[in-house]
Amino acid sequence: MVNHDDVRYVAGLAKLKLAEEELDRYAVQLSTILNHINKIAELDLDGVEPTSHVLKLTNVFREDEPQSSISQEAALANGPEVEGNAFRVPAIVRK
Amino acid sequence: MDYEPVIGLEIHVELSTRSKMFCGCRVEFGGEPNTRTCPVCLAHPGALPVMNRQAIRYLGRIALALDCRIPERSIFHRKNYFYPDLPKGYQISQYDQPFAVEGGLSVNVDGETATVGIERVHMEEDTAKNIHAGVSGRIAGSLYSLIDFNRSGTPLVEIVTKPHIHSPQAARSFLNRLKNTLQFLDVSDCNMEEGSLRCDANVSVRTVGDQELGVKTELKNMNSFRYIEKGLSQEIERQINMLENGERIVQQTVHFDVVTGEISPLRSKEEAHDYRYFPEPDLVPLVAAADFIAEIRGEMPELPADRARRYVSEHGLPEYDARVLTSDRELSDYYEESVSLYGDAKTVSNWIMGELLAYLNNAGVTAGECRVTPTALVELLGMVKSGDISANIGKEVFTGMCETGESATAIVQRKGLTQISDTDELESLIKQVIEENPSQVEQYRAGKEKVIGFFVGQVMKRTGGRANPQVVNRLLKERLAE
Amino acid sequence: MNLLRLTAMEALEMMGRDELSAGDLTGAFLDQIDRHEGDVAAYLYVNEAGAREQAAAAGGRGGDRSLNGIPTAIKDVLCTEGMRTTCGSRMLEGFVPVYTATCVSRLAEAGVVNLGKTNMDEFAMGSSTENSAFGPTRNPWDLDRVPGGSSGGSAAAVAAGEAMWALGSDTGGSIRQPASFCGIVGFKPTYGSVSRYGLVAFASSFDQVGPLTRSVRDAALMLQHLVGKDPRDSTSVAHPEEIVIPRDQDLSGLKIGIISELSGGGIDAGVREVFQQAVRTMAEAGAEMETASIPHAEYCIPAYYILAPAEASANLARYDGVRFGLRAQGARDVIEMYEETRSLGFGDEVKRRIMLGTYALSSGYYDAYYGQAQKVRTLVVNDFDAAFREFDLLVSPTTPTTAFGLGERVDDPLTMYMSDICTVPANLAGLPAISIPVGLDGGMPVGMQFMGPAFSANRLLQAAHSTEAAVAFDRVSPLIEEQD
């Protein structure tokens, strides 16, 4: 049901690097799980409203009042790679 | 064959709220990197967004000003993609239930008014800023990037037009009009250099009369209206050439190089966009009930068209003046303040439309940036009105004020420009002029009354232009009649 | 006296009467940690020095704070400022939060002693705590079995006498299932009643923080301090009624439905027997016990395993190696950095769920999976609404089996998922639910689950407390027993 290429596509979207044999293993496992999940296809769901949230809340706001930020030092403290006052990442577009 | 361009615009507006969209960090441009962040806008584990009420009010103002329909319920979605400037790995945005839809903004193109349809107006959050290290400062070819999260989470409103624009000039007019409206709404400073107003354009061409749309390309992130106009012209030309040569246009993003003026396709992304939108579970729906809309309506600032109408009906200005004065928020505010200090609207308008605008255009500054404040202008107008200086001297003084920033009084005193209205002083000068020009006296007395101008000129010359022309006129007529 | 047998309520009373000091109490738990942590492995971090300091301070301050000196374990899914918080993941190894979760702050303000951070399935994804990147926790009743999950560390700590009580989180059963496996009480509050601020998100529309305790009254006591609207969590609400500590009374006047779909065929015979014995005891204590139905119960697992992984796939996108946590070295560009970091940092189950969720949301599949699952969620909500028009509360076994053996299900994700069958419905509908131990099957504890309408915590706690008293299950794990 889910094949090797589907898994490769999804892994690309999710930014997971999977080896060839992992792609196969996930294809089997995801198919097994989806096979069970497909049970919901039995149901006639026409006209049923979707629920994305069980709470009936609406319009929850905060006032536009600035609060103090964390210090630059604290912001950068957990950074795996920091240069000067900023987070550093490898080239976004590789040559 | 005749071709017709079809253009749709996507405008992103950073709102000028005090704090960010979903957290209390301050909204400001620039500053030391990573000093305005917190667990929410850095997307630390466990942090949650809470909506800024003011941002939603601003969004409401925009929607109302653009004549949109505001559905009662709108919701937020997560737009999923990975990019270093997107800390959560998704952007909180709106998708199939946006805040506002189906609006329009009327624009003047070549003397004709046309309405550009607005497809949707929705709320989202801005990303952080990538600084590309390397020679060019551009993304391609840089070895690494540095990320500053100060901008992360700034409230951002997206405005999408319908493909109702049919020339690059019209696109520019629309953008000018939109920017002006946004500035009157007090919701954004619309500073393009600082990125608080950004625009993408979708453009395609088709043969005139064709109902189907052609294949479109996207011009992204252009940072001035002038470049948008130029870029669109270039792209339209490129597309027409391709069609003429029987080539097929490919849907892609293109880059307009403002230096070379050339269009080049951006490398197509390796993967298709699959944003996997789904409802944001950390936020609750936004319900724009009647009272909420009424509240926003109640606090709507006056829009340019309304101001123009008021200038005509209450200030008695000609429509032309009213339109010019309301074409720019700062100019209009300048005018309003001056009128409130001075009173005589038409005089204020004349000076602003004449002297001030000429100076602003020349110097390339805005009304708000001008050294001559409304208070300073009104001081000058008072001196002209009281006869301390002539109108012509007044113009000279105004130029001086713009250049040095000095007050009118200071310049007049320094340069000794006070008008001479003293009859005794003028009488003796007039006596001299009459004595020295007997033939002109003859002509005048023979009925050639225009010659009076010659005598006025002579008196002016001898006073360095400081003589009060009305007084000189009266005295001359009296003497010549003798 | 074996201090490890005390409930928090009893300990507070003793401290109030000066019969016990906060220092001695915390000391007793730290000693137990010393003795058994090597086997049980309930903690990822023991805050030994900090706990002793807090206990000493609590002693000085006397009983002016309502939870003064109660030794508390905190699931490592909750952010603690200045104290490592890993979520059981390599991805967050060494991560030190800059802020503290609201629920942790609330307990700290009430005076609890923080014993440390407990082990869990990575990012709360799992039912056995075997998915922790730092090794499994073992069940104090039988060290060859799992403690359940994902709050397995918290449940095991309480059951082993390594904590007086603990905080856990429950997305599909992660408080109730380990509580059931470890013979203790676990309460999942109504969605929205406890702030999620600082709870590392797994599935945002399901996650709730709640107590794992030795008694129902303790659960009520902790819950009193947890509930309340938090301005930092848009989905939090004020609990409509104050949480009351249940009193001793019988079950008369309560009409309780036994969910047929969750107490029949899919449940182990031994578990069913203990459960049915408890049902009879409840009837004897005055409850009107009748069969009830949640017609769409069998669709809960499928719907949950679409919706929760979908939300998780987005919630876990922030682990990208840019601002905190792990970063794989040597990547030549950003994409490579993402892919290598995430492949290195996430374990198998987390990857599996990210893949599942990404797939369910991806272009062309959204309507068939995510969209349909949301509709199933509506049907489940409606099922419960209908049931609660007839019944005050609903009951079922908490889990289909007792604690299974370590390693028994690791290679079989679907079977593992099925162990949530009884607990997931309450998460789909956002309802409060509690698990209490009602007996043993083959020497292992069996839990009974009570579910109530939204915000019915008081009714639920009162019924659970009365049942607890009627059933009189007074067994503790051998690790506590041996200190008698």
Side-chain angles (χ1 to χ4, degrees):
Chain A
M1 198 170 78
V2 178
N3 63 35
H4 190 90
D5 288 344
D6 295 334
V7 175
R8 188 199 302 277
Y9 172 75
V10 170
L13 287 176
K15 298 286 174 281
L16 293 170
K17 188 169 124 188
L18 300 178
E20 288 299 309
E21 71 272 15
E22 280 179 300
L23 293 173
D24 290 330
R25 184 159 53 87
Y26 277 109
V28 172
Q29 287 179 340
L30 293 182
S31 294
T32 309
I33 297 163
L34 286 168
N35 190 40
H36 178 73
I37 283 174
N38 280 333
K39 202 176 172 57
I40 62 172
E42 296 166 2
L43 291 166
D44 178 11
L45 296 166
D46 283 352
V48 178
E49 283 296 310
T51 295
S52 49
H53 232 286
V54 289
L55 291 169
K56 298 297 171 227
L57 291 174
T58 57
N59 292 5
V60 175
F61 296 121
R62 39 171 274 276
E63 297 310 319
D64 185 23
E65 282 150 15
Q67 308 290 323
S68 47
S69 295
I70 61 172
S71 70
Q72 189 187 55
E73 190 190 357
L76 298 171
N78 276 300
E81 194 181 356
V82 168
E83 183 174 300
N85 45 29
F87 298 93
R88 179 176 161 152
V89 297
I92 294 177
V93 175
R94 204 204 305 177
K95 272 193 224 175
Chain B
M1 234 186 293
D2 277 343
Y3 292 95
E4 175 190 52
V6 180
I7 300 165
L9 300 171
E10 262 183 48
I11 299 99
H12 286 96
V13 187
E14 279 185 351
L15 300 184
S16 50
T17 49
R18 299 172 67 211
S19 63
K20 291 183 181 179
M21 186 62 220
F22 297 118
C23 66
C25 290
R26 243 170 230 289
V27 169
E28 261 170 40
F29 178 76
E32 176 78 0
N34 295 303
T35 50
R36 292 191 301 278
T37 68
C38 73
V40 177
C41 57
L42 283 173
H44 275 197
L48 295 169
V50 185
M51 254 186 271
N52 183 334
R53 186 195 300 272
Q54 187 72 350
I56 301 300
R57 286 201 183 115
Y58 284 2
L59 171 67
R61 281 189 204 174
I62 296 173
L64 291 175
L66 297 179
D67 255 337
C68 288
R69 183 169 71 79
I70 300 177
E72 183 161 308
R73 189 185 175 87
S74 74
I75 63 169
F76 287 83
H77 272 72
R78 291 183 180 178
K79 179 183 182 180
N80 297 287
Y81 66 95
F82 284 87
Y83 211 70
D85 64 9
L86 188 71
K88 293 188 291 297
Y90 55 85
Q91 181 191 34
I92 301 179
S93 181
Q94 296 195 284
Y95 181 51
D96 55 0
Q97 294 180 62
F99 183 78
V101 294
E102 294 162 17
L105 184 68
S106 59
V107 185
N108 245 301
V109 190
D110 300 331
E112 292 200 18
T113 304
T115 299
V116 173
I118 302 291
E119 175 90 33
R120 55 188 281 146
V121 177
H122 79 236
M123 189 81 238
E124 55 186 39
E125 55 177 336
D126 210 346
T127 57
K129 221 168 167 175
N130 298 329
I131 304 141
H132 305 299
V135 260
S136 65
R138 279 192 57 193
I139 185 167
S142 73
L143 299 172
Y144 62 93
S145 295
L146 297 172
I147 326 288
D148 168 13
F149 286 89
N150 283 349
R151 195 180 69 177
S152 166
T154 299
L156 195 66
V157 167
E158 182 175 316
I159 301 166
V160 181
T161 77
K162 290 198 153 68
H164 282 178
I165 302 169
H166 297 292
S167 73
Q169 297 73 31
R172 187 172 176 180
S173 301
F174 171 83
L175 289 168
N176 274 323
R177 181 74 209 282
L178 178 67
K179 178 179 172 186
N180 191 37
T181 303
L182 294 170
Q183 286 179 327
F184 273 88
L185 288 173
D186 269 333
V187 296
S188 172
D189 60 20
C190 295
N191 188 326
M192 292 195 80
E193 278 108 67
E194 293 179 359
S196 50
L197 184 68
R198 310 196 284 269
C199 179
D200 303 334
N202 287 304
V203 57
S204 62
V205 297
R206 63 182 174 195
T207 45
V208 170
D210 217 339
Q211 291 307 301
E212 298 264 304
L213 290 172
V215 177
K216 68 181 180 186
T217 58
E218 190 177 12
L219 274 153
K220 270 208 171 287
N221 251 328
M222 287 169 293
N223 61 4
S224 89
F225 293 166
R226 200 157 53 89
Y227 291 145
I228 291 168
E229 189 181 348
K230 276 191 175 171
L232 282 171
S233 298
Q234 285 294 310
E235 175 57 12
I236 289 163
E237 199 185 310
R238 188 184 73 97
Q239 288 190 16
I240 291 175
N241 284 337
M242 287 179 75
L243 292 178
E244 296 271 285
N245 295 334
E247 291 169 64
R248 281 174 54 132
I249 292 160
V250 192
Q251 182 162 349
Q252 62 185 352
T253 301
V254 295
H255 173 71
F256 173 62
D257 190 316
V258 296
V259 182
T260 63
E262 270 168 32
I263 294 273
S264 54
L266 286 182
R267 198 162 57 111
S268 58
K269 293 252 168 82
E270 278 160 30
E271 67 193 51
H273 291 300
D274 188 344
Y275 289 127
R276 291 156 284 136
Y277 282 100
F278 75 99
E280 164 59 290
D282 288 332
L283 293 171
V284 302
L286 198 56
V287 170
D291 55 341
F292 187 69
I293 301 293
E295 187 188 319
I296 293 167
R297 235 181 247 289
E299 60 196 25
M300 278 287 271
E302 201 180 21
L303 289 170
D306 299 325
R307 276 204 198 190
R309 267 193 289 280
R310 183 162 55 82
Y311 293 175
V312 173
S313 64
E314 290 177 23
H315 297 183
L317 293 189
E319 276 187 25
Y320 176 76
D321 287 30
R323 203 164 56 237
V324 173
L325 290 172
T326 56
S327 65
D328 176 80
R329 170 69 195 265
E330 289 182 11
L331 191 69
S332 177
D333 286 350
Y334 193 103
Y335 162 79
E336 300 242 343
E337 197 181 336
S338 304
V339 170
S340 76
L341 293 168
Y342 186 69
D344 177 359
K346 182 60 187 154
T347 301
V348 169
S349 168
N350 288 344
W351 277 81
I352 290 178
M353 307 250 310
E355 305 314 304
L356 181 68
L357 271 184
Y359 169 73
L360 296 180
N361 287 337
N362 247 324
V365 293
T366 68
E369 292 161 355
C370 181
R371 288 169 123 172
V372 182
T373 62
T375 315
L377 173 70
V378 166
E379 186 192 355
L380 174 67
L381 297 191
M383 292 172 78
V384 174
K385 190 182 182 186
S386 69
D388 289 347
I389 56 172
S390 69
N392 277 337
I393 294 281
K395 290 173 185 173
E396 190 187 320
V397 171
F398 183 81
T399 309
M401 291 163 74
C402 290
E403 281 161 4
T404 64
E406 284 176 286
S407 73
T409 315
I411 292 177
V412 167
Q413 275 177 2
R414 179 161 58 76
K415 294 193 172 173
L417 295 175
T418 322
Q419 187 161 264
I420 304 164
S421 304
D422 176 37
T423 358
D424 291 345
E425 196 180 339
L426 292 176
E427 284 278 17
S428 67
L429 279 170
I430 285 167
K431 204 176 154 205
Q432 277 176 33
V433 170
I434 289 176
E435 278 167 7
E436 287 166 17
N437 297 287
S439 67
Q440 277 83 356
V441 173
E442 278 310 305
Q443 286 173 24
Y444 181 82
R445 289 187 175 147
K448 212 175 167 191
E449 287 187 8
K450 270 201 245 164
V451 179
I452 189 106
F454 165 79
F455 292 106
V456 175
Q458 288 299 310
V459 176
M460 284 303 186
K461 203 170 165 189
R462 282 165 208 225
T463 57
R466 291 163 56 223
N468 182 327
Q470 277 88 40
V471 179
V472 172
N473 241 304
R474 180 171 54 79
L475 292 177
L476 269 169
K477 281 182 181 164
E478 285 172 16
R479 290 294 88 76
L480 288 167
E482 281 166 6
Chain C
M1 178 185 196
N2 183 355
L3 295 179
L4 306 179
R5 276 185 177 270
L6 292 177
T7 64
M9 296 282 288
E10 290 162 348
L12 284 166
E13 276 165 32
M14 286 175 71
M15 286 190 284
R17 291 193 303 263
D18 277 337
E19 293 165 18
L20 174 67
S21 80
D24 287 349
L25 185 63
T26 288
F29 284 94
L30 287 171
D31 290 348
Q32 180 78 344
I33 290 173
D34 260 357
R35 278 189 291 270
H36 293 294
E37 183 56 11
D39 291 331
V40 178
Y43 285 90
L44 291 174
Y45 172 74
V46 177
N47 181 34
E48 188 173 348
R52 284 194 204 281
E53 254 171 57
Q54 288 166 15
R61 237 171 293 189
D64 61 339
R65 292 184 302 174
S66 48
L67 301 179
N68 208 44
I70 300 301
T72 306
I74 297 166
K75 187 178 180 183
D76 208 27
V77 74
L78 293 162
C79 288
T80 43
E81 183 178 351
M83 185 183 289
R84 39 164 290 181
T85 300
T86 67
C87 289
S89 183
R90 287 262 172 254
M91 191 59 97
L92 287 177
E93 202 169 1
F95 173 68
V96 180
V98 297
Y99 74 104
T100 298
T102 301
C103 59
V104 175
S105 300
R106 286 189 175 167
L107 292 187
E109 279 156 25
V112 303
V113 169
N114 177 354
L115 288 175
K117 308 295 291 288
T118 57
N119 198 12
M120 56 186 281
D121 285 300
E122 184 177 7
F123 286 107
M125 295 176 186
S127 308
S128 68
T129 315
E130 291 164 296
N131 295 333
S132 168
F134 309 108
T137 295
R138 290 160 185 272
N139 193 315
W141 292 77
D142 176 350
L143 295 173
D144 290 329
R145 295 179 192 245
V146 302
S150 67
S151 310
S154 282
V158 175
E162 294 187 15
M164 186 153 246
W165 62 11
L167 274 172
S169 68
D170 190 316
T171 305
S174 283
I175 289 174
R176 290 159 288 159
Q177 187 256 19
S180 173
F181 278 12
C182 292
I184 60 168
V185 174
F187 186 94
K188 181 203 92 76
T190 304
Y191 183 84
S193 53
V194 178
S195 169
R196 293 185 294 117
Y197 189 73
L199 165 67
V200 179
F202 161 13
S204 313
S205 77
F206 299 87
D207 298 341
Q208 272 292 288
V209 175
L212 291 112
T213 60
R214 299 273 306 289
S215 73
V216 175
R217 283 163 65 91
D218 273 8
L221 177 65
M222 193 197 284
L223 195 64
Q224 275 185 336
H225 293 83
L226 295 179
V227 298
K229 186 171 168 50
D230 179 4
R232 293 181 182 278
D233 175 1
S234 311
T235 65
S236 79
V237 291
H239 203 273
E241 20 175 84
E242 205 177 309
I243 304 294
V244 188
I245 307 293
R247 291 160 314 202
D248 294 327
Q249 62 180 49
D250 61 24
L251 289 161
S252 53
L254 281 178
K255 194 175 172 189
I256 297 176
I258 304 149
I259 303 173
S260 58
E261 293 85 355
L262 303 181
S263 46
I267 310 297
D268 263 17
V271 170
R272 216 157 57 210
E273 203 174 297
V274 174
F275 173 74
Q276 278 158 358
Q277 178 56 46
V279 166
R280 283 192 290 276
T281 307
M282 290 168 75
E284 285 157 20
E288 199 183 323
M289 305 298 293
E290 277 179 36
T291 301
S293 176
I294 296 296
H296 296 95
E298 62 176 318
Y299 300 100
C300 287
I301 290 282
Y304 173 81
Y305 276 95
I306 294 170
L307 298 173
E311 292 185 17
S313 71
N315 283 332
L316 271 63
R318 68 188 57 196
Y319 305 101
D320 59 4
V322 177
R323 300 163 314 287
F324 49 77
L326 184 79
R327 150 99 58 110
Q329 295 306 307
R332 288 163 298 172
D333 61 29
V334 155
I335 304 283
E336 224 174 74
M337 181 199 77
Y338 288 148
E339 293 187 340
E340 284 172 12
T341 297
R342 291 166 62 77
S343 296
L344 201 63
F346 291 139
D348 255 6
E349 182 59 25
V350 171
K351 284 182 200 167
R352 192 151 43 234
R353 296 206 196 183
I354 290 175
M355 298 282 290
L356 188 57
T358 305
Y359 179 78
L361 289 173
S362 67
S363 172
Y365 295 101
Y366 181 94
D367 290 337
Y369 289 112
Y370 193 84
Q372 294 296 86
Q374 281 189 311
K375 291 179 176 182
V376 174
R377 199 171 186 186
T378 306
L379 298 180
V380 175
V381 169
N382 294 345
D383 283 357
F384 276 108
D385 281 350
F388 287 125
R389 276 194 289 276
E390 204 178 330
F391 297 100
D392 296 309
L393 297 168
L394 299 170
V395 293
S396 75
T398 309
T399 57
T401 66
T402 56
F404 45 86
L406 277 161
E408 216 173 85
R409 296 188 183 175
V410 282
D411 295 321
D412 187 357
L414 190 58
T415 307
M416 190 71 98
Y417 296 173
M418 295 310 278
S419 57
D420 298 336
I421 193 161
C422 301
T423 47
V424 155
N427 298 84
L428 279 172
L431 303 176
I434 187 169
S435 174
I436 63 167
V438 290
L440 296 178
D441 171 34
M444 294 305 289
V446 172
M448 179 186 234
Q449 175 180 228
F450 294 68
M451 286 174 266
F455 303 106
S456 66
N458 284 332
R459 192 194 298 169
L460 208 51
L461 289 162
Q462 180 58 54
H465 170 67
S466 301
T467 305
E468 184 182 50
V471 168
F473 176 80
D474 59 359
R475 297 286 304 276
V476 291
S477 80
L479 304 185
I480 292 179
E481 221 163 31
E482 69 182 28
Q483 295 303 312
D484 283 346

